[in-house]
Amino acid sequence: MGAHWQLIRTMAAALSLCLLSEEARSQLPPGCQSGLIQESWALANHYDQRSAYYCDGAFAKPNSGEVELVSFTLGPIVFGETQGALLLSQESAGAETVYVEGLEKKAGGSYRLDGTIPPAGLTIDLSAAIKPKNIRQDDLGLFAWLSRPAGKLFLPVSAGASPQARSQAVLTFRTGGALIEVKYQSCRHGGTCGDEQVVASDVPEYSLITISLPRTGQAQELDLKLTTLSPGNQKGGRMYSLMVPQ
């Protein structure tokens, strides 16, 4: 009986994918990944379009062996156990299109969100995938960006934190393999740099590393350099362009 139902489910998924025409895919919200809709169709709470602005849900994600950005927010992400929706907003972009991504911060997480944040904010239906997948507020990562010729300019997202708690822009990175040391240095875009600082030492694999950047009352465009030292004294690093609102 189990094999019979699995066959029916597979055939239904295949039929649904056939019905997802090229025209329908082209009408997905900006940022949504049509390929993930196809790949995740048979999963519970699968990745799919939720509104005119975003897609979210479960998908099969391979673990990365590199340090990667998993969240950039103003203060913490806050939502209650019985809360049905979460409003995402940003303060830096003006009229430009703001793209947003969400994911599970823990290793092996299978949740993803893609879309855009309109000027009035983006309301996320927590009951569609986040609550069914038992993703807690501390496990959810969110970050936004503007498209630039040189790459992405990352923006922090506000997601439920009180105004008092949004005084810091909080970056969260997830490691791949174990690391001996992680350092960072922030520079004003095209200007002066601060001192390089050690943010973590003797870091186990798939750890979360947090860097807090204070808001100064003036918008700041920063270049943040993250440098890693792996066993065997192998150095790595990456540069991130960031906007911290006033």
Side-chain angles (χ1 to χ4, degrees):
M1 180 65 72
H4 174 72
W5 281 110
Q6 181 61 41
L7 177 60
I8 292 176
R9 188 175 186 179
T10 301
M11 292 176 64
L15 177 60
S16 297
L17 291 179
C18 290
L19 294 176
L20 186 62
S21 65
E22 290 298 328
E23 181 180 1
R25 292 172 196 163
S26 68
Q27 296 174 355
L28 288 172
C32 288
Q33 309 292 313
S34 61
L36 292 185
I37 295 177
Q38 299 176 49
E39 295 168 10
S40 66
W41 201 268
L43 300 176
N45 313 117
H46 64 85
Y47 183 93
D48 205 352
Q49 182 175 350
R50 306 298 181 195
S51 78
Y53 295 102
Y54 81 101
C55 300
D56 82 338
F59 79 114
K61 180 186 184 302
N63 285 330
S64 170
E66 301 179 351
V67 175
E68 59 181 322
L69 176 67
V70 294
S71 194
F72 186 28
T73 60
L74 291 178
I77 296 171
V78 179
F79 58 85
E81 293 183 2
T82 61
Q83 189 171 327
L86 179 65
L87 179 65
L88 312 186
S89 61
Q90 59 78 36
E91 304 177 20
S92 305
E96 291 188 69
T97 299
V98 180
Y99 297 90
V100 63
E101 184 173 332
L103 42 74
E104 281 183 85
K105 292 190 291 190
K106 62 183 181 182
S110 61
Y111 173 80
R112 176 163 172 157
L113 177 149
D114 296 285
T116 58
I117 301 178
L122 175 63
T123 299
I124 301 300
D125 179 6
L126 297 174
S127 66
I130 292 176
K131 291 292 184 70
K133 288 178 61 59
N134 296 316
I135 299 173
R136 302 174 302 171
Q137 59 185 25
D138 293 340
D139 295 329
L140 180 63
L142 294 165
F143 55 88
W145 73 87
L146 301 176
S147 181
R148 291 287 190 264
K152 295 177 178 178
L153 175 63
F154 290 96
L155 310 176
V157 177
S158 294
S162 67
Q164 294 80 7
R166 298 200 294 265
S167 62
Q168 302 269 342
V170 183
L171 288 152
T172 304
F173 299 89
R174 183 174 62 211
T175 67
L179 297 171
I180 296 173
E181 191 175 66
V182 180
K183 297 180 179 179
Y184 83 93
Q185 183 181 37
S186 63
C187 305
R188 288 189 173 274
H189 185 66
T192 59
C193 297
D195 295 333
E196 189 173 47
Q197 300 183 51
V198 176
V199 65
S201 301
D202 299 322
V203 185
E205 63 179 359
Y206 303 125
S207 295
L208 297 178
I209 296 171
T210 299
I211 298 173
S212 295
L213 303 174
R215 301 172 70 174
T216 63
Q218 182 177 1
Q220 307 170 74
E221 189 169 343
L222 305 174
D223 295 319
L224 185 138
K225 181 180 180 182
L226 197 70
T227 305
T228 61
L229 182 64
S230 303
N233 289 323
Q234 294 183 336
K235 290 187 177 181
R238 186 173 176 183
M239 187 77 75
Y240 296 87
S241 295
L242 314 170
M243 178 69 80
V244 178
Q246 65 181 22

